[in-house]
Amino acid sequence: MVIASKKLNGSSENEDEKCWDLTPYQGNEVGTPGFYWRLIEVGDPRDCGGSHYGNGSIDECGKLVGLQDEYCSTYSYDGFMELQQGCPDEEGNIKWPCPDGE
């Protein structure tokens, strides 16, 4: 599941297009307890990688543990960021992002 997404560009003169305020996602009941979160730049759907800019667990209250206050891009291109929720599968691996509804 994608909790939130935002397009950023570090060379923009508009602060809102450079930085993403993540404080709205720091409260309780944002994610599913026992699951995980990550902040990742997503791009070409054929690219299985992506750059990670933070990750952690989701506590019993649904809070994203360790989520930073903001992320600011330093790149001069449009970067597509996602705050994703990952869920463990039967083997203990994390599936990114969780299918919607999980």
Coordinates of all heavy atoms in Angstrom, one line a residue:
M1 N 0.8 -1.2 0.0 CA 0.0 0.0 0.0 C 0.9 1.2 0.0 O 1.9 1.3 0.7 CB -0.9 0.0 1.2 CG -1.7 1.2 1.4 SD -2.9 1.1 2.8 CE -1.9 1.9 4.1
V2 N 0.5 2.2 -0.8 CA 1.2 3.5 -0.8 C 0.4 4.4 0.1 O -0.7 4.7 -0.1 CB 1.3 4.1 -2.2 CG1 1.9 5.5 -2.2 CG2 2.1 3.2 -3.1
I3 N 1.1 4.8 1.2 CA 0.5 5.7 2.2 C 0.3 7.1 1.6 O -0.7 7.8 1.8 CB 1.3 5.7 3.5 CG1 1.3 4.3 4.1 CG2 0.8 6.8 4.5 CD1 2.3 4.1 5.2
A4 N 1.4 7.6 0.9 CA 1.4 8.9 0.3 C 2.4 9.0 -0.8 O 3.4 8.2 -0.8 CB 1.6 10.0 1.4
S5 N 2.3 10.0 -1.6 CA 3.3 10.1 -2.7 C 3.4 11.6 -3.0 O 2.5 12.4 -2.7 CB 3.0 9.4 -3.9 OG 1.7 9.8 -4.5
K6 N 4.6 12.0 -3.6 CA 4.8 13.4 -3.9 C 6.0 13.5 -4.9 O 6.9 12.7 -4.9 CB 5.2 14.2 -2.7 CG 5.4 15.7 -2.9 CD 5.4 16.4 -1.6 CE 5.6 17.9 -1.8 NZ 4.4 18.6 -2.2
K7 N 5.8 14.4 -5.9 CA 6.9 14.7 -6.9 C 7.7 15.8 -6.3 O 7.2 16.8 -5.9 CB 6.3 15.1 -8.2 CG 7.3 15.4 -9.3 CD 6.7 15.7 -10.6 CE 6.2 17.1 -10.6 NZ 5.7 17.6 -11.9
L8 N 9.1 15.6 -6.3 CA 10.0 16.6 -5.8 C 11.0 16.9 -6.9 O 11.4 16.1 -7.7 CB 10.7 16.1 -4.6 CG 9.9 15.8 -3.3 CD1 10.7 15.2 -2.2 CD2 9.2 17.1 -2.8
N9 N 11.6 18.2 -6.8 CA 12.7 18.6 -7.7 C 13.5 19.5 -6.9 O 13.1 20.6 -6.6 CB 12.1 19.2 -9.0 CG 13.2 19.4 -10.0 OD1 14.3 19.9 -9.7 ND2 12.9 19.1 -11.2
G10 N 14.8 19.1 -6.6 CA 15.7 19.9 -5.8 C 16.1 21.2 -6.4 O 16.6 22.1 -5.7
S11 N 15.9 21.4 -7.7 CA 16.3 22.7 -8.4 C 15.1 23.7 -8.5 O 15.3 24.8 -9.0 CB 16.9 22.4 -9.7 OG 15.9 21.9 -10.6
S12 N 14.0 23.3 -8.0 CA 12.8 24.2 -8.0 C 13.0 25.3 -7.1 O 13.7 25.2 -6.0 CB 11.6 23.4 -7.6 OG 10.5 24.3 -7.5
E13 N 12.5 26.5 -7.4 CA 12.5 27.7 -6.6 C 11.4 27.6 -5.5 O 11.4 28.4 -4.6 CB 12.5 28.9 -7.4 CG 13.8 29.1 -8.2 CD 13.8 30.4 -8.9 OE1 13.1 31.4 -8.5 OE2 14.6 30.5 -9.9
N14 N 10.4 26.8 -5.7 CA 9.3 26.6 -4.8 C 9.7 25.6 -3.8 O 9.9 24.4 -4.1 CB 8.1 26.2 -5.6 CG 6.8 26.1 -4.8 OD1 6.9 25.9 -3.5 ND2 5.7 26.1 -5.4
E15 N 9.7 26.0 -2.5 CA 10.1 25.1 -1.4 C 9.2 23.9 -1.3 O 9.7 22.8 -1.0 CB 10.1 25.9 -0.1 CG 10.7 25.2 1.1 CD 12.2 25.0 1.0 OE1 12.8 25.7 0.3 OE2 12.7 24.0 1.6
D16 N 7.9 24.0 -1.6 CA 7.0 22.9 -1.6 C 7.3 21.9 -2.6 O 6.9 20.7 -2.5 CB 5.5 23.4 -1.8 CG 4.5 22.3 -1.5 OD1 4.6 21.7 -0.4 OD2 3.6 22.2 -2.3
E17 N 8.0 22.2 -3.7 CA 8.4 21.3 -4.7 C 9.8 20.7 -4.5 O 10.2 19.7 -5.1 CB 8.4 22.0 -6.1 CG 7.0 22.4 -6.6 CD 7.0 23.1 -7.8 OE1 8.0 23.4 -8.4 OE2 5.9 23.5 -8.3
K18 N 10.5 21.2 -3.5 CA 11.8 20.7 -3.1 C 11.7 19.7 -1.9 O 12.4 18.7 -1.9 CB 12.7 21.8 -2.6 CG 13.4 22.6 -3.7 CD 14.4 23.5 -3.0 CE 15.0 24.5 -4.0 NZ 15.9 25.4 -3.4
C19 N 10.9 20.1 -1.0 CA 10.8 19.4 0.3 C 9.4 18.8 0.5 O 8.4 19.4 0.2 CB 11.2 20.3 1.5 SG 12.9 20.8 1.4
W20 N 9.3 17.7 1.2 CA 8.1 17.0 1.5 C 7.9 17.0 3.1 O 8.8 16.4 3.8 CB 8.1 15.6 1.0 CG 6.8 14.9 1.1 CD1 5.6 15.3 1.5 CD2 6.6 13.5 0.8 NE1 4.6 14.3 1.5 CE2 5.3 13.2 1.0 CE3 7.4 12.5 0.3 CZ2 4.7 11.9 0.8 CZ3 6.9 11.3 0.0 CH2 5.5 11.0 0.3
D21 N 6.9 17.7 3.6 CA 6.6 17.7 5.0 C 6.0 16.4 5.3 O 4.9 16.1 4.9 CB 5.7 18.9 5.3 CG 5.2 18.9 6.7 OD1 5.8 18.2 7.6 OD2 4.2 19.6 7.0
L22 N 6.7 15.6 6.1 CA 6.2 14.2 6.5 C 5.5 14.2 7.9 O 5.0 13.1 8.3 CB 7.4 13.2 6.5 CG 8.0 13.1 5.1 CD1 9.3 12.3 5.2 CD2 7.0 12.3 4.2
T23 N 5.4 15.4 8.5 CA 4.8 15.4 9.9 C 3.3 14.9 9.9 O 2.9 14.3 10.9 CB 4.9 16.8 10.5 OG1 4.3 17.8 9.7 CG2 6.4 17.1 10.8
P24 N 2.5 15.1 8.8 CA 1.2 14.6 8.8 C 1.1 13.0 9.0 O 0.0 12.5 9.3 CB 0.5 15.0 7.5 CG 1.3 16.2 7.1 CD 2.7 15.9 7.6
Y25 N 2.2 12.4 8.7 CA 2.2 10.9 8.7 C 2.9 10.3 10.0 O 3.2 9.2 10.0 CB 2.9 10.4 7.4 CG 2.4 11.0 6.2 CD1 3.1 12.0 5.6 CD2 1.1 10.7 5.7 CE1 2.5 12.7 4.4 CE2 0.6 11.3 4.6 CZ 1.3 12.3 4.0 OH 0.8 12.9 2.9
Q26 N 3.2 11.2 11.0 CA 3.9 10.8 12.2 C 3.0 10.4 13.3 O 3.4 10.0 14.3 CB 4.8 11.9 12.6 CG 6.0 12.1 11.7 CD 6.9 13.2 12.1 OE1 6.5 14.1 12.9 NE2 8.1 13.1 11.7
G27 N 1.7 10.5 13.2 CA 0.7 10.2 14.2 C 0.4 8.7 14.3 O 0.9 7.9 13.5
N28 N -0.6 8.4 15.2 CA -1.1 7.1 15.3 C -2.1 6.8 14.2 O -2.6 7.7 13.5 CB -1.8 6.9 16.7 CG -0.9 7.0 17.8 OD1 0.3 6.6 17.7 ND2 -1.4 7.4 19.0
E29 N -2.3 5.5 13.9 CA -3.3 5.0 13.0 C -3.0 5.4 11.5 O -3.8 5.5 10.7 CB -4.7 5.4 13.3 CG -5.1 4.9 14.7 CD -6.5 5.3 15.1 OE1 -7.2 5.9 14.3 OE2 -6.9 5.1 16.3
V30 N -1.7 5.6 11.2 CA -1.2 5.8 9.8 C -1.0 4.5 9.1 O -1.4 4.4 7.9 CB 0.0 6.7 9.8 CG1 0.6 6.9 8.4 CG2 -0.2 8.1 10.5
G31 N -0.4 3.6 9.7 CA -0.1 2.3 9.1 C -0.7 1.1 9.9 O -1.4 1.3 10.9
T32 N -0.5 -0.1 9.4 CA -1.0 -1.3 10.0 C 0.0 -1.8 11.0 O 1.2 -2.0 10.7 CB -1.2 -2.4 8.9 OG1 -2.1 -1.9 8.0 CG2 -1.8 -3.7 9.5
P33 N -0.4 -2.0 12.3 CA 0.5 -2.5 13.3 C 1.2 -3.8 12.9 O 0.6 -4.7 12.4 CB -0.4 -2.7 14.6 CG -1.5 -1.7 14.3 CD -1.7 -1.7 12.8
G34 N 2.5 -3.8 13.2 CA 3.3 -5.0 12.9 C 3.8 -5.1 11.5 O 4.6 -5.9 11.1
F35 N 3.5 -4.1 10.6 CA 4.0 -4.0 9.3 C 5.2 -3.0 9.3 O 5.7 -2.7 10.3 CB 2.9 -3.5 8.3 CG 1.9 -4.6 8.0 CD1 1.7 -5.7 8.7 CD2 1.1 -4.4 6.9 CE1 0.7 -6.6 8.4 CE2 0.1 -5.4 6.5 CZ 0.0 -6.5 7.3
Y36 N 5.7 -2.6 8.1 CA 6.8 -1.8 8.0 C 6.6 -0.6 7.0 O 5.6 -0.7 6.2 CB 8.0 -2.7 7.4 CG 8.3 -3.8 8.3 CD1 7.7 -5.0 8.1 CD2 9.2 -3.7 9.3 CE1 7.9 -6.1 9.0 CE2 9.5 -4.7 10.2 CZ 8.8 -5.9 10.0 OH 9.1 -7.0 10.9
W37 N 7.4 0.4 7.1 CA 7.3 1.5 6.2 C 8.7 1.8 5.6 O 9.7 1.4 6.1 CB 6.8 2.8 6.9 CG 7.8 3.4 7.9 CD1 7.8 3.1 9.2 CD2 8.8 4.3 7.7 NE1 8.8 3.8 9.8 CE2 9.5 4.5 8.9 CE3 9.3 5.0 6.5 CZ2 10.5 5.4 9.0 CZ3 10.3 5.8 6.6 CH2 11.0 6.1 7.9
R38 N 8.7 2.5 4.4 CA 9.9 3.0 3.8 C 9.5 4.2 2.9 O 8.4 4.3 2.4 CB 10.6 1.9 2.9 CG 9.9 1.6 1.6 CD 10.7 0.6 0.9 NE 10.0 0.2 -0.4 CZ 10.5 -0.7 -1.2 NH1 11.6 -1.3 -1.0 NH2 9.8 -1.0 -2.3
L39 N 10.5 5.1 2.8 CA 10.4 6.3 2.0 C 11.4 6.0 0.8 O 12.6 5.7 1.0 CB 10.9 7.5 2.7 CG 10.8 8.8 1.9 CD1 9.4 9.1 1.5 CD2 11.3 10.0 2.8
I40 N 10.8 5.9 -0.4 CA 11.6 5.5 -1.6 C 11.3 6.4 -2.8 O 10.2 6.9 -2.9 CB 11.3 4.0 -1.9 CG1 12.2 3.5 -3.0 CG2 9.8 3.8 -2.2 CD1 12.1 2.0 -3.2
E41 N 12.3 6.6 -3.6 CA 12.1 7.2 -4.9 C 11.7 6.1 -5.9 O 12.5 5.1 -6.1 CB 13.3 8.0 -5.4 CG 13.1 8.7 -6.7 CD 14.4 9.4 -7.2 OE1 15.4 9.4 -6.5 OE2 14.3 9.9 -8.3
V42 N 10.6 6.3 -6.6 CA 10.2 5.3 -7.6 C 10.3 6.0 -8.9 O 10.1 7.2 -9.1 CB 8.7 4.8 -7.3 CG1 8.7 4.0 -6.0 CG2 7.8 5.9 -7.3
G43 N 10.6 5.2 -9.9 CA 10.7 5.7 -11.3 C 10.2 4.8 -12.3 O 9.0 4.4 -12.2
D44 N 11.1 4.4 -13.2 CA 10.7 3.4 -14.2 C 10.1 2.2 -13.6 O 10.8 1.5 -12.8 CB 12.0 3.1 -15.1 CG 11.7 2.3 -16.3 OD1 10.7 1.5 -16.3 OD2 12.4 2.5 -17.3
P45 N 8.9 1.8 -14.0 CA 8.3 0.6 -13.4 C 9.1 -0.7 -13.6 O 8.9 -1.7 -12.9 CB 6.9 0.5 -14.0 CG 6.8 1.5 -15.0 CD 8.0 2.4 -14.9
R46 N 10.0 -0.7 -14.6 CA 10.8 -1.9 -14.9 C 12.0 -1.9 -14.0 O 12.7 -3.0 -13.9 CB 11.3 -1.8 -16.4 CG 10.1 -1.9 -17.4 CD 10.6 -1.6 -18.7 NE 10.9 -0.2 -18.7 CZ 11.4 0.5 -19.8 NH1 11.6 -0.1 -20.9 NH2 11.7 1.8 -19.7
D47 N 12.3 -0.9 -13.3 CA 13.4 -0.8 -12.4 C 12.9 -1.3 -11.0 O 12.1 -0.8 -10.3 CB 13.9 0.6 -12.2 CG 15.0 0.8 -11.2 OD1 15.6 -0.3 -10.9 OD2 15.4 1.9 -10.9
C48 N 13.5 -2.5 -10.6 CA 13.1 -3.1 -9.3 C 13.7 -2.4 -8.1 O 13.4 -2.7 -7.0 CB 13.4 -4.6 -9.3 SG 12.5 -5.5 -10.5
G49 N 14.7 -1.6 -8.4 CA 15.4 -0.9 -7.3 C 14.7 0.3 -6.9 O 13.5 0.4 -6.7
G50 N 15.5 1.4 -6.7 CA 15.0 2.6 -6.2 C 15.8 3.0 -5.0 O 16.4 2.2 -4.3
S51 N 15.9 4.3 -4.8 CA 16.7 4.8 -3.7 C 15.9 5.0 -2.4 O 14.8 5.5 -2.5 CB 17.3 6.2 -4.0 OG 18.2 6.0 -5.2
H52 N 16.3 4.4 -1.3 CA 15.6 4.5 -0.1 C 16.1 5.7 0.7 O 17.3 6.0 0.8 CB 15.9 3.2 0.8 CG 15.3 2.0 0.1 ND1 16.1 1.3 -0.8 CD2 14.2 1.4 0.3 CE1 15.3 0.2 -1.2 NE2 14.2 0.3 -0.5
Y53 N 15.2 6.4 1.4 CA 15.5 7.6 2.2 C 15.0 7.4 3.6 O 14.8 8.4 4.3 CB 15.0 8.8 1.5 CG 15.7 9.0 0.2 CD1 15.1 8.6 -1.0 CD2 17.0 9.5 0.1 CE1 15.7 8.8 -2.2 CE2 17.6 9.7 -1.1 CZ 17.0 9.3 -2.3 OH 17.7 9.4 -3.5
G54 N 14.8 6.3 4.1 CA 14.3 6.0 5.4 C 13.4 4.8 5.4 O 12.8 4.4 4.5
N55 N 13.4 4.1 6.6 CA 12.6 2.9 6.7 C 12.4 2.6 8.2 O 13.2 3.1 9.0 CB 13.0 1.7 5.9 CG 14.4 1.2 6.4 OD1 15.1 1.9 7.2 ND2 14.8 0.1 6.0
G56 N 11.5 1.8 8.6 CA 11.3 1.4 9.9 C 10.1 0.5 10.1 O 9.5 0.1 9.1
S57 N 9.7 0.3 11.4 CA 8.6 -0.5 11.7 C 7.3 0.3 12.0 O 7.4 1.5 12.1 CB 8.9 -1.4 12.9 OG 9.2 -0.6 14.0
I58 N 6.2 -0.3 12.1 CA 5.0 0.3 12.4 C 4.5 -0.3 13.8 O 4.4 -1.5 13.9 CB 3.9 0.1 11.4 CG1 4.4 0.7 10.0 CG2 2.6 0.8 11.8 CD1 3.4 0.5 8.8
D59 N 4.4 0.6 14.8 CA 4.1 0.1 16.1 C 2.7 -0.3 16.3 O 1.8 -0.2 15.4 CB 4.6 1.1 17.2 CG 3.7 2.3 17.3 OD1 2.6 2.4 16.8 OD2 4.2 3.2 18.1
E60 N 2.4 -0.7 17.6 CA 1.0 -1.3 17.9 C -0.1 -0.2 17.8 O -1.3 -0.6 17.7 CB 1.0 -1.9 19.3 CG 1.3 -0.9 20.4 CD 2.8 -0.6 20.7 OE1 3.6 -1.2 20.0 OE2 3.0 0.3 21.5
C61 N 0.3 1.1 17.7 CA -0.7 2.1 17.5 C -0.8 2.6 16.1 O -1.6 3.5 15.8 CB -0.3 3.3 18.4 SG -0.4 3.0 20.2
G62 N -0.1 1.9 15.2 CA -0.1 2.3 13.8 C 0.8 3.5 13.4 O 0.7 4.1 12.4
K63 N 1.8 3.8 14.3 CA 2.7 4.9 14.1 C 3.9 4.4 13.4 O 4.5 3.4 13.7 CB 3.1 5.5 15.5 CG 4.0 6.7 15.4 CD 4.2 7.3 16.7 CE 5.1 8.6 16.6 NZ 5.2 9.3 17.8
L64 N 4.4 5.2 12.4 CA 5.6 4.9 11.6 C 6.8 5.3 12.4 O 7.2 6.5 12.5 CB 5.6 5.7 10.3 CG 4.7 5.1 9.2 CD1 3.2 4.9 9.6 CD2 4.8 5.9 7.9
V65 N 7.4 4.3 13.1 CA 8.5 4.6 14.0 C 9.7 5.1 13.3 O 10.2 4.5 12.3 CB 8.9 3.3 14.8 CG1 10.0 3.5 15.7 CG2 7.7 2.8 15.6
G66 N 10.2 6.3 13.7 CA 11.4 6.8 13.2 C 11.3 7.7 11.9 O 12.3 8.1 11.3
L67 N 10.0 7.9 11.5 CA 9.8 8.7 10.3 C 10.3 10.1 10.5 O 9.9 10.8 11.5 CB 8.3 8.7 9.9 CG 8.0 9.6 8.6 CD1 8.6 9.0 7.4 CD2 6.5 9.6 8.5
Q68 N 11.2 10.6 9.6 CA 11.7 12.0 9.8 C 10.6 13.0 9.5 O 9.6 12.8 8.9 CB 12.9 12.2 8.8 CG 12.6 12.1 7.3 CD 12.8 10.7 6.7 OE1 12.6 9.7 7.3 NE2 13.4 10.7 5.5
D69 N 10.9 14.3 9.9 CA 10.0 15.4 9.8 C 9.8 15.8 8.3 O 8.7 16.2 7.9 CB 10.4 16.6 10.6 CG 10.3 16.4 12.1 OD1 9.6 15.5 12.5 OD2 11.0 17.2 12.8
E70 N 10.8 15.7 7.5 CA 10.7 16.1 6.1 C 11.8 15.4 5.3 O 12.8 15.0 5.9 CB 10.7 17.6 5.9 CG 12.1 18.3 6.1 CD 12.0 19.8 5.7 OE1 11.0 20.3 5.3 OE2 13.1 20.4 5.8
Y71 N 11.6 15.4 4.0 CA 12.6 14.9 3.1 C 12.8 16.0 2.0 O 11.8 16.4 1.5 CB 12.3 13.6 2.4 CG 13.2 13.3 1.3 CD1 14.5 12.8 1.6 CD2 12.9 13.5 0.0 CE1 15.4 12.6 0.6 CE2 13.8 13.3 -1.0 CZ 15.1 12.8 -0.7 OH 16.0 12.6 -1.7
C72 N 14.0 16.5 1.8 CA 14.3 17.5 0.8 C 15.1 16.9 -0.3 O 16.2 16.3 0.0 CB 15.0 18.7 1.4 SG 13.9 19.6 2.5
S73 N 14.7 17.0 -1.6 CA 15.5 16.5 -2.7 C 16.7 17.4 -3.0 O 16.6 18.7 -2.8 CB 14.6 16.5 -3.9 OG 15.4 16.1 -5.1
T74 N 17.8 16.8 -3.3 CA 19.0 17.6 -3.8 C 19.3 17.3 -5.2 O 20.3 17.8 -5.7 CB 20.2 17.1 -2.9 OG1 20.4 15.7 -3.1 CG2 20.0 17.4 -1.5
Y75 N 18.3 16.7 -5.9 CA 18.5 16.4 -7.3 C 17.8 17.4 -8.2 O 16.7 17.9 -7.8 CB 18.0 14.9 -7.6 CG 18.7 13.9 -6.8 CD1 18.1 13.3 -5.7 CD2 20.1 13.6 -7.0 CE1 18.8 12.3 -5.0 CE2 20.8 12.7 -6.3 CZ 20.1 12.1 -5.2 OH 20.8 11.2 -4.5
S76 N 18.3 17.6 -9.4 CA 17.7 18.6 -10.3 C 16.8 18.0 -11.4 O 16.8 18.4 -12.5 CB 18.9 19.4 -11.0 OG 19.7 18.5 -11.8
Y77 N 16.1 16.9 -11.0 CA 15.1 16.3 -11.9 C 13.9 16.0 -11.0 O 14.0 16.0 -9.8 CB 15.7 15.0 -12.5 CG 16.1 14.0 -11.5 CD1 15.2 13.1 -11.0 CD2 17.4 13.8 -11.1 CE1 15.5 12.1 -10.1 CE2 17.8 12.9 -10.2 CZ 16.8 12.0 -9.7 OH 17.2 11.0 -8.8
D78 N 12.8 15.7 -11.7 CA 11.6 15.3 -11.0 C 11.8 13.9 -10.4 O 12.0 12.9 -11.1 CB 10.4 15.3 -11.9 CG 10.0 16.7 -12.3 OD1 10.4 17.7 -11.6 OD2 9.2 16.8 -13.3
G79 N 11.7 13.8 -9.1 CA 11.8 12.5 -8.4 C 10.4 12.2 -7.8 O 9.8 13.0 -7.2
F80 N 10.0 11.0 -8.1 CA 8.7 10.6 -7.6 C 8.9 9.7 -6.3 O 9.4 8.6 -6.4 CB 7.9 9.8 -8.7 CG 7.7 10.6 -9.9 CD1 8.6 10.7 -11.0 CD2 6.6 11.5 -10.0 CE1 8.4 11.5 -12.1 CE2 6.4 12.3 -11.1 CZ 7.3 12.3 -12.1
M81 N 8.4 10.3 -5.2 CA 8.6 9.7 -3.9 C 7.4 9.0 -3.5 O 6.3 9.5 -3.7 CB 9.0 10.8 -2.9 CG 10.2 11.6 -3.3 SD 11.7 10.7 -3.4 CE 11.9 10.1 -1.7
E82 N 7.6 7.9 -2.7 CA 6.4 7.2 -2.1 C 6.8 6.9 -0.7 O 7.9 6.5 -0.4 CB 6.1 5.9 -2.9 CG 5.4 6.2 -4.2 CD 4.9 4.9 -4.9 OE1 5.2 3.8 -4.4 OE2 4.2 5.0 -5.9
L83 N 5.8 7.0 0.2 CA 5.8 6.5 1.5 C 5.0 5.2 1.5 O 3.8 5.3 1.3 CB 5.3 7.5 2.5 CG 5.3 7.2 4.0 CD1 6.7 6.9 4.5 CD2 4.7 8.3 4.8
Q84 N 5.7 4.1 1.6 CA 5.1 2.8 1.3 C 4.9 2.0 2.6 O 5.8 2.1 3.5 CB 5.9 2.0 0.4 CG 6.0 2.5 -1.0 CD 6.9 1.6 -1.9 OE1 7.6 0.8 -1.5 NE2 6.8 1.9 -3.2
Q85 N 3.9 1.2 2.7 CA 3.8 0.2 3.7 C 4.1 -1.2 3.2 O 3.6 -1.5 2.1 CB 2.3 0.2 4.3 CG 2.1 -0.9 5.3 CD 0.7 -0.7 5.9 OE1 0.5 0.1 6.8 NE2 -0.3 -1.5 5.5
G86 N 4.9 -1.9 3.9 CA 5.3 -3.3 3.5 C 4.8 -4.3 4.5 O 4.7 -4.0 5.7
C87 N 4.4 -5.4 4.0 CA 3.8 -6.5 4.8 C 4.7 -7.8 4.7 O 5.1 -8.1 3.7 CB 2.4 -6.7 4.5 SG 2.0 -7.0 2.8
P88 N 4.8 -8.4 5.9 CA 5.6 -9.7 5.8 C 4.7 -10.8 5.2 O 3.5 -10.9 5.4 CB 5.8 -10.0 7.3 CG 4.8 -9.2 8.1 CD 4.4 -8.0 7.2
D89 N 5.4 -11.7 4.4 CA 4.8 -12.8 3.8 C 5.0 -14.1 4.7 O 5.6 -13.9 5.8 CB 5.2 -13.1 2.4 CG 6.7 -13.4 2.2 OD1 7.3 -13.8 3.3 OD2 7.2 -13.4 1.1
E90 N 4.5 -15.2 4.3 CA 4.6 -16.4 5.0 C 6.1 -16.8 5.4 O 6.3 -17.5 6.4 CB 4.0 -17.6 4.3 CG 2.5 -17.4 3.9 CD 2.3 -16.5 2.7 OE1 3.1 -16.6 1.7 OE2 1.4 -15.7 2.7
E91 N 7.0 -16.5 4.5 CA 8.4 -16.8 4.8 C 9.2 -15.7 5.6 O 10.4 -15.9 5.8 CB 9.2 -17.0 3.4 CG 8.8 -18.3 2.7 CD 7.5 -18.0 1.8 OE1 7.4 -17.0 1.2 OE2 6.6 -18.9 1.8
G92 N 8.5 -14.7 5.9 CA 9.1 -13.6 6.7 C 9.7 -12.5 5.9 O 10.4 -11.6 6.4
N93 N 9.6 -12.6 4.5 CA 10.1 -11.5 3.7 C 9.1 -10.4 3.6 O 7.9 -10.6 3.9 CB 10.3 -12.1 2.2 CG 11.3 -13.2 2.2 OD1 12.4 -13.1 2.7 ND2 10.9 -14.3 1.6
I94 N 9.5 -9.2 3.3 CA 8.6 -8.1 3.3 C 8.2 -7.8 1.8 O 9.1 -7.7 1.0 CB 9.3 -6.8 3.9 CG1 9.7 -7.1 5.3 CG2 8.3 -5.6 3.8 CD1 10.4 -6.0 6.0
K95 N 7.0 -7.7 1.6 CA 6.4 -7.4 0.3 C 6.2 -5.9 0.1 O 5.5 -5.3 1.0 CB 5.1 -8.2 0.1 CG 4.5 -8.2 -1.3 CD 3.2 -9.0 -1.3 CE 3.1 -9.7 -2.6 NZ 2.0 -10.6 -2.5
W96 N 6.9 -5.2 -0.8 CA 6.8 -3.8 -1.0 C 6.1 -3.4 -2.3 O 6.5 -4.0 -3.4 CB 8.2 -3.2 -1.1 CG 8.9 -3.3 0.2 CD1 9.9 -4.1 0.5 CD2 8.7 -2.5 1.4 NE1 10.4 -3.9 1.8 CE2 9.6 -2.9 2.4 CE3 7.8 -1.5 1.8 CZ2 9.7 -2.4 3.6 CZ3 7.9 -0.9 3.0 CH2 8.9 -1.4 3.9
P97 N 5.2 -2.5 -2.4 CA 4.3 -2.2 -1.2 C 3.3 -3.3 -1.0 O 3.1 -4.1 -1.9 CB 3.7 -0.9 -1.7 CG 3.7 -0.9 -3.2 CD 4.9 -1.7 -3.6
C98 N 2.7 -3.3 0.1 CA 1.6 -4.3 0.4 C 0.5 -4.1 -0.6 O 0.3 -2.9 -1.0 CB 1.0 -4.0 1.7 SG 1.8 -4.7 3.2
P99 N -0.1 -5.1 -1.0 CA -1.3 -5.0 -1.9 C -2.3 -4.2 -1.2 O -2.4 -4.3 0.1 CB -1.7 -6.4 -2.2 CG -0.5 -7.3 -1.9 CD 0.2 -6.6 -0.8
D100 N -3.1 -3.4 -1.9 CA -4.1 -2.6 -1.2 C -5.1 -3.5 -0.5 O -5.4 -4.6 -1.0 CB -4.9 -1.7 -2.2 CG -4.1 -0.5 -2.7 OD1 -3.1 -0.2 -2.0 OD2 -4.4 0.0 -3.8
G101 N -5.5 -3.1 0.7 CA -6.4 -4.0 1.5 C -5.7 -4.8 2.5 O -6.3 -5.4 3.3
E102 N -4.4 -4.8 2.5 CA -3.6 -5.5 3.5 C -3.0 -4.6 4.4 O -2.7 -3.5 4.1 CB -2.5 -6.4 2.8 CG -3.1 -7.6 2.2 CD -2.1 -8.6 1.7 OE1 -1.1 -8.9 2.5 OE2 -2.1 -9.1 0.6

